[in-house]
């Protein structure tokens, strides 16, 4: 977990998002560092959709029901039963450390398949996966492209206040 959480009655806060990176080990940490630095930067707001101190990115502490096998089934195999399980895991997640946190708004996934780098997302309660191609032919994506894709794929707040 990267960011502190502020909350008030009648306000859902967020978005609260899970990050999963399926890149090759040699470049995975670089992509994770770019996202972590971007998500914690005071200047980032993604057109008002990312609120410093209020939005939450689960990078290192991922909900246990959202394992690699489930995420791969949804994002790389487009398996509909797995998509239902993932949606349920996102919607019903409760953080024991942040007792007032119930539910997550979505998941963003970074992957490299056939030398094409992509970011994809699924908003909780939805069936359609959104996708942005970042680079192809083995080229690494630019930092600005990664940051722009993160903002473009950021799910809206789906939880009730």
């Amino acid at each position: 977990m990267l960011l502190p959480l502020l909350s008030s009655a009648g306000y859902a806060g967020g978005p609260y998002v899970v990050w999963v990176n399926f890149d090759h080990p040699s470049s995975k940490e670089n992509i994770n560092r770019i996202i972590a630095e971007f998500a914690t930067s005071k200047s980032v707001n993604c057109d008002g959709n990312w609120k410093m101190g209020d939005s939450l990115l689960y990078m290192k502490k991922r909900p246990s029901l959202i394992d690699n096998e489930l995420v791969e089934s949804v994002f790389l195999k487009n398996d509909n039963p797995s998509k239902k399980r993932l949606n349920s895991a996102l919607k019903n997640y409760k953080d024991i450390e942040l007792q007032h946190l119930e539910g997550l708004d979505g998941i963003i996934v970074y992957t490299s398949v056939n030398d094409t780098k992509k970011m994809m997302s699924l908003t909780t309660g939805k069936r359609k996966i959104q996708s942005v191609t970042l680079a192809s032919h083995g080229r690494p994506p630019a930092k600005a492209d990664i940051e722009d894709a993160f903002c473009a794929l950021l799910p809206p707040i789906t939880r009730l206040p």
Side-chain angles (χ1 to χ4, degrees):
M1 198 166 13
L2 287 179
L3 303 176
L5 176 68
L6 304 174
S7 166
S8 61
Y11 177 69
Y16 304 155
V17 182
V18 175
W19 168 260
V20 177
N21 185 342
F22 286 130
D23 199 10
H24 303 293
S26 59
S27 55
K28 183 175 188 171
E29 288 308 312
N30 183 50
I31 301 298
N32 285 348
R33 182 187 47 75
I34 290 169
I35 291 296
E37 289 174 2
F38 182 70
T40 57
S41 171
K42 291 180 180 171
S43 64
V44 172
N45 73 7
C46 294
D47 293 329
N49 295 320
W50 188 259
K51 296 158 193 76
M52 187 60 176
D54 196 25
S55 298
L56 192 62
L57 185 63
Y58 281 81
M59 280 186 96
K60 295 179 181 176
K61 178 188 162 194
R62 190 183 329 159
S64 61
L65 292 177
I66 303 174
D67 61 17
N68 283 353
E69 183 179 329
L70 176 61
V71 176
E72 286 176 8
S73 292
V74 172
F75 287 92
L76 303 181
K77 298 175 184 169
N78 202 22
D79 181 66
N80 284 323
S82 295
K83 201 176 291 182
K84 287 179 184 177
R85 282 189 18 239
L86 178 58
N87 264 312
S88 177
L90 290 166
K91 182 180 179 181
N92 296 311
Y93 178 70
K94 291 179 178 31
D95 191 316
I96 57 172
E97 292 177 24
L98 303 170
Q99 296 175 356
H100 57 283
L101 188 148
E102 293 187 18
L104 298 167
D105 299 305
I107 182 170
I108 298 177
V109 175
Y110 182 91
T111 187
S112 178
V113 177
N114 299 327
D115 282 335
T116 299
K117 314 289 188 198
K118 287 175 131 180
M119 280 177 70
M120 301 174 280
S121 72
L122 179 69
T123 298
T124 301
K126 304 291 183 185
R127 295 175 45 171
K128 184 177 182 203
I129 293 173
Q130 296 190 354
S131 179
V132 173
T133 300
L134 298 168
S136 59
H137 307 295
R139 291 178 294 157
K143 180 179 183 256
D145 291 339
I146 294 167
E147 295 169 350
D148 289 347
F150 179 83
C151 286
L153 295 171
L154 198 60
I157 297 170
T158 60
R159 295 160 291 104
L160 297 174

